[in-house]
Amino acid sequence: MLLDNPEKGTHRSFKYLEPCYAVACILDVFHENQRLDREGKSTVTAASDCWIDNDRLRRDVFDRACRFWCYRTGLNHTYFPLSVDAVARLYHRIRKRRAEEVENFEANIEEACRKLGPCRGE
C-alpha cells in the first residue's frame, strides 16, 4: 500500500491515490473491451494498438477508466488522478499480457482494493 500506517491522518486523505484503484479501473476497461469483442459489439479487439494510438479511442478508454474508478472509490471524477497518457500507458502494459498473467495480476489488485475498501466520505 502507498501509505502503510492507517493511524496517520494522511492515510485517509490520500487513500484514493493508491495504485490498486488506478490499475483496477484499467483492468475493468480491458475486460469490458474483451466482452464487447466477444459479443461482436466492437470492431476493435481488446489487445489492439488502436486503443492507445487513436486519439478518439484513447479518450474513450480514459473516460471509461474514470467511470470505473469513480465506482470503485465512491468519489467523483474530479478526484481521478490519471491523465489520458497515464491511462493509455497502463492499458498498453495490460493488453499484450498472457491471460494467465492478467488473471494473477488481477487477483493481487482485487485483494488490495478489497482491503482498502471505498473512499467515500474520507
Side-chain angles (χ1 to χ4, degrees), residues 54-66:
N54 178 286
D55 286 337
R56 184 182 60 79
L57 293 176
R58 280 169 63 94
R59 185 63 197 201
D60 177 59
V61 169
F62 173 81
D63 290 343
R64 289 187 291 138
C66 182

Side-chain angles (χ1 to χ4, degrees), residues 45-89:
T45 65
S48 173
D49 290 339
C50 293
W51 292 108
I52 55 172
D53 293 338
N54 178 286
D55 286 337
R56 184 182 60 79
L57 293 176
R58 280 169 63 94
R59 185 63 197 201
D60 177 59
V61 169
F62 173 81
D63 290 343
R64 289 187 291 138
C66 182
R67 186 182 75 234
F68 282 120
W69 184 90
C70 291
Y71 174 77
R72 284 178 172 277
T73 64
L75 299 172
N76 71 42
H77 70 279
T78 63
Y79 287 90
F80 188 55
L82 300 174
S83 67
V84 173
D85 289 334
V87 168
R89 283 186 205 108

Side-chain angles (χ1 to χ4, degrees), residues 86-109:
V87 168
R89 283 186 205 108
L90 284 170
Y91 191 90
H92 177 75
R93 298 287 229 161
I94 292 168
R95 72 186 176 80
K96 291 291 188 182
R97 300 287 179 216
R98 293 187 329 265
E100 176 184 294
E101 286 180 291
V102 173
E103 288 172 13
N104 291 337
F105 184 57
E106 186 169 24
N108 292 333
I109 293 299

Side-chain angles (χ1 to χ4, degrees), residues 27-47 51 64 67-68 91:
L27 284 163
D28 290 338
V29 172
F30 179 71
H31 289 312
E32 185 175 64
N33 285 347
Q34 288 177 315
R35 180 183 54 78
L36 292 171
D37 187 34
R38 276 192 311 271
E39 294 172 356
K41 296 179 179 176
S42 177
T43 58
V44 183
T45 65
W51 292 108
R64 289 187 291 138
R67 186 182 75 234
F68 282 120
Y91 191 90

